[in-house]
Amino acid sequence: MIGRTVFMALVVVGILAAIPAASGAATTSTSYTGTTSDGGQWIADVPSSWNGTLLLYSHGFGPTTNAAADAPDPNTKAALLADGYALAGSSYQPSPPGSWWALDSALADQFQTLSTVEQTVLPHSTTHVFAVGTSMGGLISALEDEHSNGRLQGALTTCGIVAGGINLNNYQLDGEYAMDQLLAGGAIQLVHFTNPFGDALAAANQFDVVAQQAQNTAAGRARLALAMSLMNVATWAPGQPMPALSNYAEQAHQQFLVQFLPAGGPSPIQTTQDFVEFGRPWIDQASGGSATWTKGVNFGLLLAESPYAPEVISLYRQAGLNLWADLENLTRNANITADPAAVRSLEQTSVPTGRLQVPELDMHTISDQLVPVQQENYYRHTVARAGRSDLLRQAFVQRQLHCNFTPGELVAGVEAVQQRVETGHWGHLADPAVLNAAATATNLGTPAFIPYEPGRLSGDNGPFDPFTGGSFPFPFGRW
């Protein structure tokens, strides 16, 4: 049962979120479609009782062909239309064609969609336009905020990759490198994949086997816990009770379930790890090379700064292993370098600066197996360094799985942004109690907003040195 739920989160949310949903029967609305100048598609839905606000929706990672979407799911779409919101969104048209990591074209296609819908579809001028995004689309909506230039008045980012594409690449590679070095003898391919369904999934299958074998010994479980800490793997698995803060053995067990429990069925993507490995070639294709590295990374420092450190230290002690020897080994042998041009590409297209222009509410489940909630901690500091903290609020839902929000929670998020824009201040609008009350009033599921402070993001390799292809030899620029 757990495996099936994980698989649904991997594929349905990550891919099928890109498929447009039909208008709900509870309200009368008109649908429109068109194409962007680069060949992508756009879709829009306008209710008969339009309230003057347009939601510009950005879908998540997945195929871009015939994938225009203007809402995250059919029930949320129907609820938003019933509330009077007009909806619009595009498929994006990536260059090179075919890459599912479509950040090079997403902003241009979304803003072109906005302009077209405003000029040719809507019955009158908009009162407000809000960016709304899911997963990779959450990264897009955050970037749209930074580049709104008067075109947006607010943003709702949900389960977004807001720490950016480079951090995503690096913390995943850090954990995989640790698994490969400590549990597989350096035998697994880690970078330069050419086929998501070929060599990438072959490497993922090797990791799946290694992780299963690691469960047989205390040493294996400890070393796997170290790797999972670098990858920010959640310690609360679907279908399981949340482990106690000091129950490190159970935390490690649930990390294993989150990352490696097979889903079953015919799909070649069986585990979270499979999806992680499957995704990297698409990013490489978009950036024109490998934009991830281990060279120059101090793995002892990474663990020392990690909220997972107590768990890892406890398991190493129980196993009688020398943790510091393993960390020194990882640091000494780290030699994977990145392509500077690929890093520059991701920096330009896929990394938020934090320079928000309009108010933004971020929402995240606290146990997200694909986009760890710790990304919100990193993003909050990024926005603070840019001096824009007054514009950002973050809300957390006590639930497992990626983008696992009720329609009521999503509608409450939109309404909170609307009230922030209309009143000019956040006040208590993003407080859990206020959001829960707003979500409950929709009668669209039981809300679970809670007070929550995500831990620090593990696997931040620091700034890139283009002369070495790795990290600068000192923690310049880290917070």
Side-chain angles (χ1 to χ4, degrees), residues 12-21 55-60 69-78 80 87-88 132-135 156 158-159 403 405-407 409-411 414:
V12 176
V13 175
I15 297 176
L16 297 187
I19 299 176
L55 305 183
L56 182 64
Y57 178 72
S58 299
H59 68 73
D70 58 9
D73 62 82
N75 289 334
T76 301
K77 179 172 184 171
L80 291 170
L87 314 173
V132 180
T134 300
S135 191
L156 174 66
T158 66
C159 46
C403 304
F405 305 107
T406 67
E409 288 164 346
L410 293 171
V411 171
V414 170

Coordinates of all heavy atoms in Angstrom, one line a residue, residues 12-21 55-60 69-78 80 87-88 132-135 156 158-159 403 405-407 409-411 414:
V12 N 1.9 10.6 -10.9 CA 0.7 11.3 -11.1 C 0.9 12.8 -10.8 O 0.5 13.6 -11.6 CB -0.5 10.8 -10.2 CG1 -1.7 11.6 -10.3 CG2 -0.8 9.3 -10.5
V13 N 1.5 13.1 -9.7 CA 1.8 14.5 -9.4 C 2.8 15.1 -10.2 O 2.7 16.2 -10.8 CB 2.1 14.7 -7.9 CG1 2.5 16.2 -7.6 CG2 1.0 14.3 -7.0
G14 N 3.9 14.4 -10.4 CA 5.1 14.9 -11.2 C 4.8 15.0 -12.7 O 5.3 15.9 -13.3
I15 N 3.9 14.2 -13.2 CA 3.7 14.1 -14.7 C 2.3 14.5 -15.0 O 2.1 15.4 -15.8 CB 4.1 12.8 -15.2 CG1 5.6 12.5 -15.0 CG2 3.8 12.7 -16.7 CD1 6.0 11.1 -15.4
L16 N 1.3 13.9 -14.4 CA -0.1 14.1 -14.8 C -0.6 15.5 -14.4 O -1.6 15.9 -14.9 CB -1.0 13.0 -14.3 CG -0.7 11.6 -14.9 CD1 -1.7 10.6 -14.4 CD2 -0.6 11.6 -16.4
A17 N 0.2 16.2 -13.5 CA -0.2 17.5 -13.1 C -0.2 18.4 -14.3 O -0.8 19.5 -14.3 CB 0.6 18.1 -12.0
A18 N 0.5 18.0 -15.4 CA 0.6 18.8 -16.6 C -0.6 18.6 -17.5 O -0.7 19.3 -18.5 CB 1.9 18.4 -17.3
I19 N -1.5 17.8 -17.2 CA -2.6 17.5 -18.1 C -3.8 18.4 -17.7 O -4.2 18.4 -16.5 CB -3.1 16.0 -18.0 CG1 -1.9 15.1 -18.4 CG2 -4.3 15.7 -18.8 CD1 -2.2 13.7 -18.3
P20 N -4.4 19.1 -18.6 CA -5.5 20.0 -18.3 C -6.7 19.3 -17.8 O -7.0 18.2 -18.3 CB -5.8 20.8 -19.6 CG -5.2 19.9 -20.6 CD -4.1 19.2 -20.0
A21 N -7.4 19.8 -16.9 CA -8.6 19.2 -16.3 C -9.9 19.9 -16.9 O -9.8 21.1 -17.2 CB -8.6 19.3 -14.8
L55 N -5.5 33.7 -12.4 CA -4.4 32.9 -11.8 C -3.6 32.3 -13.0 O -4.1 31.6 -13.8 CB -5.0 31.7 -11.0 CG -5.9 32.2 -9.8 CD1 -6.4 30.9 -9.0 CD2 -5.3 33.2 -8.9
L56 N -2.3 32.6 -13.0 CA -1.4 32.1 -14.0 C -0.7 30.9 -13.5 O 0.2 31.0 -12.7 CB -0.4 33.2 -14.4 CG 0.6 32.9 -15.5 CD1 -0.1 32.6 -16.9 CD2 1.7 34.0 -15.7
Y57 N -1.1 29.7 -13.9 CA -0.7 28.5 -13.3 C 0.5 27.9 -14.1 O 0.5 27.8 -15.3 CB -1.8 27.5 -13.3 CG -1.4 26.1 -12.7 CD1 -1.2 26.0 -11.4 CD2 -1.3 25.0 -13.6 CE1 -0.7 24.8 -10.8 CE2 -0.8 23.8 -13.0 CZ -0.6 23.7 -11.7 OH -0.2 22.5 -11.2
S58 N 1.5 27.4 -13.3 CA 2.7 26.7 -13.9 C 2.7 25.3 -13.4 O 2.7 25.0 -12.2 CB 4.0 27.4 -13.4 OG 4.0 28.7 -13.9
H59 N 2.6 24.3 -14.4 CA 2.6 22.9 -14.1 C 4.0 22.4 -13.7 O 5.0 23.0 -13.9 CB 1.9 22.1 -15.2 CG 2.8 22.0 -16.5 ND1 3.9 21.3 -16.6 CD2 2.6 22.6 -17.7 CE1 4.4 21.4 -17.8 NE2 3.6 22.2 -18.5
G60 N 4.0 21.1 -13.3 CA 5.2 20.5 -12.8 C 6.0 19.8 -13.9 O 5.7 19.8 -15.1
A69 N -1.8 23.3 -18.9 CA -2.6 23.2 -17.7 C -2.8 24.5 -17.1 O -2.0 25.4 -17.1 CB -2.0 22.2 -16.7
D70 N -4.0 24.7 -16.4 CA -4.3 26.0 -15.7 C -4.7 25.8 -14.3 O -5.2 26.7 -13.7 CB -5.3 26.9 -16.5 CG -6.6 26.2 -16.8 OD1 -6.8 25.1 -16.2 OD2 -7.4 26.8 -17.5
A71 N -4.6 24.5 -13.8 CA -4.9 24.2 -12.4 C -4.2 22.9 -12.0 O -3.9 22.1 -12.9 CB -6.4 24.1 -12.2
P72 N -3.9 22.7 -10.7 CA -3.2 21.5 -10.3 C -4.0 20.2 -10.4 O -3.5 19.1 -10.5 CB -2.8 21.8 -8.9 CG -3.8 22.8 -8.4 CD -4.1 23.6 -9.6
D73 N -5.4 20.3 -10.3 CA -6.2 19.1 -10.3 C -7.6 19.5 -10.6 O -8.0 20.7 -10.4 CB -6.1 18.3 -9.0 CG -6.6 19.1 -7.8 OD1 -7.9 19.1 -7.7 OD2 -5.8 19.7 -7.1
P74 N -8.5 18.6 -11.1 CA -9.8 18.9 -11.4 C -10.7 19.5 -10.3 O -11.4 20.5 -10.5 CB -10.5 17.6 -11.9 CG -9.3 16.8 -12.3 CD -8.2 17.2 -11.4
N75 N -10.6 19.0 -9.1 CA -11.4 19.5 -8.0 C -11.0 20.9 -7.6 O -11.8 21.8 -7.3 CB -11.3 18.6 -6.8 CG -12.0 17.3 -7.0 OD1 -12.9 17.2 -7.8 ND2 -11.5 16.2 -6.3
T76 N -9.7 21.2 -7.6 CA -9.2 22.5 -7.2 C -9.6 23.5 -8.4 O -10.0 24.6 -8.1 CB -7.7 22.6 -7.1 OG1 -7.3 21.7 -6.0 CG2 -7.2 24.0 -6.7
K77 N -9.5 23.0 -9.6 CA -9.9 23.9 -10.7 C -11.4 24.3 -10.6 O -11.8 25.4 -10.7 CB -9.7 23.1 -12.0 CG -10.1 23.9 -13.3 CD -9.6 23.1 -14.5 CE -10.0 23.9 -15.8 NZ -9.3 23.3 -17.0
A78 N -12.3 23.3 -10.3 CA -13.7 23.6 -10.2 C -14.0 24.5 -9.0 O -14.8 25.4 -9.2 CB -14.5 22.3 -10.0
L80 N -11.9 26.8 -7.8 CA -11.4 28.2 -8.1 C -12.4 28.9 -9.1 O -12.7 30.1 -8.9 CB -10.0 28.1 -8.6 CG -8.9 27.7 -7.6 CD1 -7.6 27.4 -8.3 CD2 -8.7 28.8 -6.6
L87 N -8.5 31.3 -15.0 CA -7.3 30.5 -14.9 C -6.7 30.4 -16.3 O -7.3 30.4 -17.3 CB -7.7 29.0 -14.5 CG -8.6 28.8 -13.3 CD1 -9.0 27.4 -13.2 CD2 -8.0 29.4 -12.1
A88 N -5.3 30.4 -16.3 CA -4.6 30.3 -17.6 C -3.2 29.6 -17.3 O -2.7 29.7 -16.2 CB -4.4 31.6 -18.2
V132 N 0.7 31.0 -9.8 CA 0.5 29.8 -9.0 C 1.3 28.7 -9.6 O 1.2 28.5 -10.8 CB -1.0 29.4 -8.9 CG1 -1.2 28.2 -8.0 CG2 -1.8 30.6 -8.3
G133 N 2.0 27.9 -8.8 CA 2.8 26.8 -9.4 C 2.9 25.6 -8.5 O 2.8 25.7 -7.3
T134 N 3.1 24.5 -9.2 CA 3.2 23.2 -8.5 C 4.6 22.5 -8.8 O 4.9 22.4 -10.0 CB 2.1 22.2 -9.0 OG1 0.8 22.8 -8.7 CG2 2.2 20.9 -8.3
S135 N 5.4 22.2 -7.8 CA 6.6 21.4 -7.9 C 7.6 22.2 -8.8 O 8.0 23.3 -8.4 CB 6.3 20.0 -8.5 OG 7.4 19.2 -8.5
L156 N 1.6 32.3 -5.4 CA 1.4 31.2 -4.5 C 2.2 30.0 -5.1 O 2.0 29.5 -6.2 CB -0.1 30.7 -4.5 CG -0.4 29.4 -3.7 CD1 0.0 29.6 -2.2 CD2 -1.8 29.0 -3.9
T158 N 3.6 26.3 -4.5 CA 3.3 25.0 -3.8 C 4.3 23.9 -4.1 O 4.6 23.7 -5.3 CB 1.9 24.6 -4.1 OG1 1.8 24.1 -5.4 CG2 0.9 25.7 -3.8
C159 N 4.8 23.3 -3.1 CA 5.8 22.2 -3.2 C 6.9 22.5 -4.2 O 7.4 21.7 -4.9 CB 5.1 20.9 -3.5 SG 3.9 20.9 -4.9
C403 N 3.5 17.5 -3.0 CA 2.3 18.2 -3.4 C 1.0 17.7 -3.0 O 0.0 17.8 -3.7 CB 2.3 18.3 -5.0 SG 3.8 19.0 -5.7
F405 N -1.7 18.3 -1.2 CA -2.6 19.2 -0.6 C -4.1 18.9 -1.0 O -4.4 18.4 -2.0 CB -2.3 20.6 -1.1 CG -0.9 21.1 -0.9 CD1 0.0 21.1 -2.0 CD2 -0.3 21.3 0.3 CE1 1.3 21.5 -1.9 CE2 1.0 21.7 0.5 CZ 1.8 21.8 -0.6
T406 N -5.0 19.3 -0.1 CA -6.4 19.2 -0.4 C -6.7 20.4 -1.3 O -6.1 21.4 -1.2 CB -7.2 19.2 0.9 OG1 -7.1 20.5 1.5 CG2 -6.8 18.1 1.8
P407 N -7.8 20.3 -2.1 CA -8.3 21.4 -2.8 C -8.6 22.6 -1.9 O -8.3 23.8 -2.2 CB -9.5 20.9 -3.5 CG -9.3 19.5 -3.7 CD -8.5 19.1 -2.5
E409 N -7.1 23.4 0.9 CA -5.8 24.1 1.3 C -5.3 25.0 0.2 O -4.8 26.1 0.5 CB -4.8 23.0 1.7 CG -5.1 22.3 3.0 CD -4.3 21.0 3.2 OE1 -3.7 20.5 2.3 OE2 -4.3 20.5 4.4
L410 N -5.4 24.5 -1.0 CA -4.9 25.3 -2.2 C -5.8 26.6 -2.3 O -5.3 27.7 -2.6 CB -4.9 24.5 -3.4 CG -3.9 23.3 -3.4 CD1 -4.2 22.4 -4.6 CD2 -2.5 23.9 -3.5
V411 N -7.1 26.4 -2.2 CA -8.0 27.6 -2.3 C -7.7 28.5 -1.2 O -7.7 29.8 -1.4 CB -9.5 27.1 -2.3 CG1 -10.4 28.3 -2.2 CG2 -9.8 26.3 -3.5
V414 N -4.7 30.6 -2.1 CA -5.0 31.7 -3.1 C -5.7 32.8 -2.4 O -5.4 34.0 -2.6 CB -5.9 31.1 -4.2 CG1 -6.5 32.2 -5.1 CG2 -5.1 30.1 -5.1

